Amino acid sequence: MWFFTPEEKEIQKVCRDFARNELAPFAEKHDNEETFNLKAFKHMGDLGLLGITADPEYGGAGMGATAATIVMEEFGKACAGSTLSYLAHTILCVNNLSNNGSAEQKAKYLPKLISGEHVGCMGMSEPEYGSDAVGMQTKAVKTGDFYEITGNKMWITNAQYADIVYLYTRTGPGKKDLTTFIVEKGTPGFTVSKEIHKMGMRSSPTGELSFQKCKVPAANRVGNEGDSTIHMMKNLEIERITISGISLGIAQACLDQCIKYAGERKQFGKNLAHYQLIQKMIAEMYSETEAMRRMLYTVCYEYDHGNKSNTLASAVKLQLPKMATKIALDAIQLHGGYGYSREFPVERMMRDNKLNEIGAGTNEVMIMIIAKNLLSEALRG
């Protein structure tokens, strides 16, 4: 994009090379085996990517949504599952902690998270509360210098590998009586109770977290009691922007694969590239991908320059994953029987992208947010 800074262009190059060499060659293996590419994850720390938006005082890069989205796009082209785990660590855990933690908490936890020595995750969704996050029932009760936490968190990316959980809990009966804690692996009463097997994003570990009278020091409370709603809403915007970058990467990878396949595959004595229907499909995929790119990075630019908009972030999150699923399905159709098999990566890309229409707010929730924001005055009438 024309407005990328020299630093952002360098990030793009570094991530493109890294994805080509350390993610793409192993994507199929980790998808088939449902395993996490921990070696590549650790190397992301060596490259300074695990704290892309975090406070430089603690080892972060201090960059914005544009840089973070560039990483998501470049990694997403190669292995969307590994990219989802990267997002859960870097945006949901590290970015949250960098923005909301105390100086003591940041000094204690951020350096190891940013270096890759520790893996982070965030605990928000519950078995009965997904889109209705503020309805969560995991409770934290203060007892002296500790809080006793009881409840379960579901669909937690990186659960099985996490050393640190950035955890949302309920500390009172009111809708906004939500409080955040940092919970360390090995804390008595905290376990990963279930491993979840998924349709896509299979190289990204997902699990259920259980807290049974888990005693967490009051010093691990992030901010004051009742601050979580503010923390949550503040971080959701950049989460929705950056996860859309994974969809952009998937769309671009599908387009690249289709161009390659059309130039190699022959039917009726000619390469597929000679047929007008194939040309039409590829032209439309290209146009859609470029529209996605310009919409996404325009919103990133606005966000980084102080023009933050929940409506625009939700619009990006609604449109890009939806368009990428269409592009992936078109890529499967163009490949014919090979597209439906695991001989080519487009079927994996379709499976992976479908999660982006659900996680970080479903398409339906995005529609509700956009409509409410645009029609708030009319709805009040």
Side-chain angles (χ1 to χ4, degrees):
M1 296 295 291
W2 64 268
F3 54 76
F4 284 0
T5 66
E7 292 81 4
E8 289 163 352
K9 289 176 183 176
E10 182 60 25
I11 287 283
Q12 186 178 48
K13 182 182 182 303
V14 168
C15 291
R16 188 168 293 171
D17 291 343
F18 176 87
R20 184 184 299 117
N21 296 323
E22 300 195 39
L23 294 180
F26 310 103
E28 183 179 352
K29 174 184 182 293
H30 287 294
D31 177 71
N32 287 338
E33 298 174 1
E34 296 188 66
T35 50
F36 181 38
N37 191 340
L38 187 59
K39 181 181 178 182
F41 178 86
K42 299 288 186 184
H43 193 191
M44 292 174 194
D46 297 335
L47 294 173
L49 298 173
L50 294 179
I52 191 78
T53 61
D55 191 337
E57 183 179 346
Y58 305 99
M63 300 183 81
T66 302
T69 302
I70 287 169
V71 181
M72 302 299 169
E73 179 188 356
E74 295 302 327
F75 286 1
K77 292 177 192 175
C79 180
S82 295
T83 316
L84 183 68
S85 282
Y86 170 82
L87 181 144
H89 174 95
T90 305
I91 301 300
L92 304 190
C93 183
V94 173
N95 186 70
N96 253 323
L97 184 52
S98 182
N99 285 335
N100 304 313
S102 66
E104 293 76 15
Q105 290 168 343
K106 290 193 280 189
K108 182 177 181 181
Y109 294 110
L110 283 181
K112 288 184 178 181
L113 287 166
I114 290 169
S115 71
E117 183 178 345
H118 282 174
V119 178
C121 73
M122 182 189 75
M124 181 189 290
S125 296
E126 298 184 1
E128 300 297 326
Y129 295 89
S131 297
D132 180 21
V134 295
M136 67 179 67
Q137 295 301 305
T138 295
K139 290 182 172 60
V141 179
K142 197 168 192 305
T143 55
D145 293 332
F146 290 84
Y147 281 82
E148 196 172 80
I149 300 175
T150 301
N152 289 57
K153 294 293 180 179
M154 193 67 162
W155 316 115
I156 307 305
T157 302
N158 296 345
Q160 299 92 308
Y161 290 83
D163 299 283
I164 300 296
V165 183
Y166 188 88
L167 182 71
Y168 293 110
T169 69
R170 175 165 298 286
T171 48
K175 193 173 184 180
K176 294 185 178 180
D177 289 334
L178 306 177
T179 305
T180 310
F181 294 91
I182 301 165
V183 183
E184 300 179 25
K185 180 180 179 180
T187 303
F190 165 43
T191 59
V192 179
S193 53
K194 182 180 179 182
E195 183 175 347
I196 298 169
H197 302 281
K198 310 184 299 295
M199 166 184 158
M201 298 291 196
R202 289 156 55 94
S203 56
S204 178
T206 307
E208 181 179 14
L209 307 179
S210 292
F211 302 88
Q212 299 299 327
K213 296 185 177 180
C214 175
K215 290 183 71 175
V216 176
N220 280 32
R221 187 187 68 214
V222 181
N224 299 313
E225 287 193 11
D227 281 354
S228 282
T229 304
I230 299 168
H231 298 172
M232 198 184 296
M233 293 303 110
K234 204 161 56 173
N235 208 68
L236 273 172
E237 204 166 309
I238 192 168
E239 178 189 355
R240 286 167 177 165
I241 291 170
T242 52
I243 198 173
S244 301
I246 303 178
S247 287
L248 175 58
I250 289 171
Q252 184 63 57
C254 286
L255 173 60
D256 293 343
Q257 179 62 45
C258 286
I259 292 171
K260 182 174 181 289
Y261 185 75
E264 295 173 347
R265 175 70 168 164
K266 288 189 176 181
Q267 286 287 359
F268 307 105
K270 293 193 296 187
N271 286 342
L272 290 183
H274 289 285
Y275 293 100
Q276 287 185 339
L277 280 175
I278 299 297
Q279 293 169 5
K280 176 179 181 293
M281 291 177 74
I282 288 175
E284 288 182 344
M285 291 168 69
Y286 169 80
S287 300
E288 290 160 352
T289 302
E290 285 304 309
M292 291 168 65
R293 177 169 287 110
R294 277 148 180 76
M295 180 182 187
L296 176 58
Y297 283 115
T298 298
V299 174
C300 287
Y301 180 88
E302 294 291 337
Y303 183 97
D304 288 341
H305 287 78
N307 300 319
K308 298 178 182 180
S309 167
N310 183 35
T311 306
L312 280 175
S314 300
V316 162
K317 174 60 177 62
L318 171 65
Q319 291 302 326
L320 268 75
K322 190 164 60 172
M323 291 171 74
T325 295
K326 176 195 176 295
I327 289 168
L329 287 169
D330 286 346
I332 290 172
Q333 190 71 21
L334 188 147
H335 281 70
Y338 282 114
Y340 195 66
S341 74
R342 293 195 174 183
E343 293 290 318
F344 288 84
V346 290
E347 65 85 29
R348 167 170 53 84
M349 294 171 186
M350 185 278 292
R351 288 188 287 107
D352 286 348
N353 188 73
K354 189 60 187 174
L355 183 278
N356 293 345
E357 296 191 60
I358 299 168
T362 64
N363 289 356
E364 292 74 20
V365 168
M366 295 303 100
I367 290 168
M368 288 168 57
I369 292 170
I370 296 164
K372 182 179 178 181
N373 290 348
L374 294 177
L375 299 170
S376 56
E377 188 173 341
L379 290 169
R380 281 196 297 271

